[in-house]
Amino acid sequence: MDLNKSLRLAIETGKVCMGSNEAQKAINASSAKLIILSSNCPEDSVKMVRESETPVHSFKGNNAVLGAACGRPFPVSTVTIIDGGNSDVLTLKTD
């Protein structure tokens, strides 16, 4: 699986939120199906996500690389997949 392609397809055809505040909202609403964390995600965000029941994937790159993978010109430390759309991103190996 090409993660960059899968993320962009999920963003285009599904429902994806970026940022730890949005991840918290999705967790509280029980709508998050997968959360992707960058390698340098802030520790408080990592703790909040790991304490939830939501599957987590640890992205090998930092937040700048994750942002670029999402097609964004800014760093993204947390990506929450609510609906994968036509993407296979929900088949990612989780921690």
Side-chain angles (χ1 to χ4, degrees):
M1 166 195 316
D2 180 0
L3 181 57
N4 293 6
K5 190 181 286 186
S6 294
L7 272 173
R8 288 186 189 196
L9 187 58
I11 291 167
E12 290 172 13
T13 63
K15 183 164 183 182
V16 177
C17 301
M18 294 175 209
S20 57
N21 289 339
E22 295 299 316
Q24 181 68 55
K25 289 176 191 174
I27 289 168
N28 291 342
S30 299
S31 60
K33 292 193 174 126
L34 174 70
I35 298 178
I36 302 170
L37 300 174
S38 69
S39 63
N40 63 339
C41 185
E43 193 58 41
D44 59 330
S45 297
V46 172
K47 183 178 180 204
M48 175 258 310
V49 168
R50 299 252 184 235
E51 289 175 350
S52 75
E53 299 287 320
T54 308
V56 177
H57 174 78
S58 295
F59 186 74
K60 290 182 177 32
N62 64 21
N63 58 356
V65 177
L66 184 56
C70 293
R72 299 299 191 259
F74 49 83
V76 174
S77 60
T78 308
V79 176
T80 306
I81 309 294
I82 295 171
D83 176 14
N86 297 332
S87 172
D88 59 351
V89 74
L90 291 175
T91 64
L92 277 173
K93 182 178 153 191
T94 57
D95 301 342

